[in-house]
Amino acid sequence: MESMGKKKRPRRSFTPEFKAEIVGLCQRGDRSIGQVAKDFDLTETAVRDWVRQAEVDAGQRDGLTSSEREELAALRRENRRLREDVDILKRATAFFAKETR
């Protein structure tokens, strides 16, 4: 039996230049976001997200800028790594405390 629903499209990545070009087309106003997405075989949601992020980066909308998002992601990665390091050190301390008794 065939599945009823849309097939998942493979995840693609796009260059910042391509995204900027798409955002520019949308902001010009000649075509709607939906039409631009259809013309370039993109999802409308992705194009809307790119436009929204460009507006945040330009200061036209509230939210985290791209550089703030990158910094936040890096800090979260570092925080996770440090928590793992502390956990390992706690376990090592407990192990060696048992060994010395």
Side-chain angles (χ1 to χ4, degrees):
M1 211 173 179
E2 292 181 30
S3 69
M4 302 181 64
K6 293 184 178 182
K7 288 184 179 179
K8 261 191 151 179
R9 86 172 40 200
R11 187 164 184 89
R12 301 179 290 174
S13 61
F14 302 97
T15 64
E17 294 80 18
F18 178 77
K19 291 179 183 180
E21 182 181 337
I22 296 297
V23 167
L25 289 171
C26 294
Q27 289 177 338
R28 258 192 246 135
D30 318 359
R31 298 183 273 183
S32 68
I33 289 177
Q35 187 59 47
V36 171
K38 191 179 293 184
D39 291 348
F40 287 89
D41 189 32
L42 301 167
T43 62
E44 192 170 335
T45 305
V47 175
R48 284 190 192 285
D49 289 344
W50 296 347
V51 170
R52 188 176 304 114
Q53 189 61 51
E55 290 172 351
V56 168
D57 290 345
Q60 301 168 349
R61 182 186 283 244
D62 287 340
L64 294 176
T65 64
S66 296
S67 61
E68 291 170 333
R69 284 181 185 279
E70 289 172 13
E71 181 181 8
L72 181 59
L75 290 171
R76 285 181 173 163
R77 277 192 303 274
E78 182 181 8
N79 194 4
R80 184 175 51 248
R81 187 186 55 78
L82 291 172
R83 286 178 190 267
E84 290 170 357
D85 290 351
V86 167
D87 187 47
I88 290 168
L89 290 171
K90 282 181 182 178
R91 283 190 258 145
T93 302
F95 174 79
F96 287 117
K98 280 184 190 177
E99 291 291 317
T100 57
R101 287 184 188 164

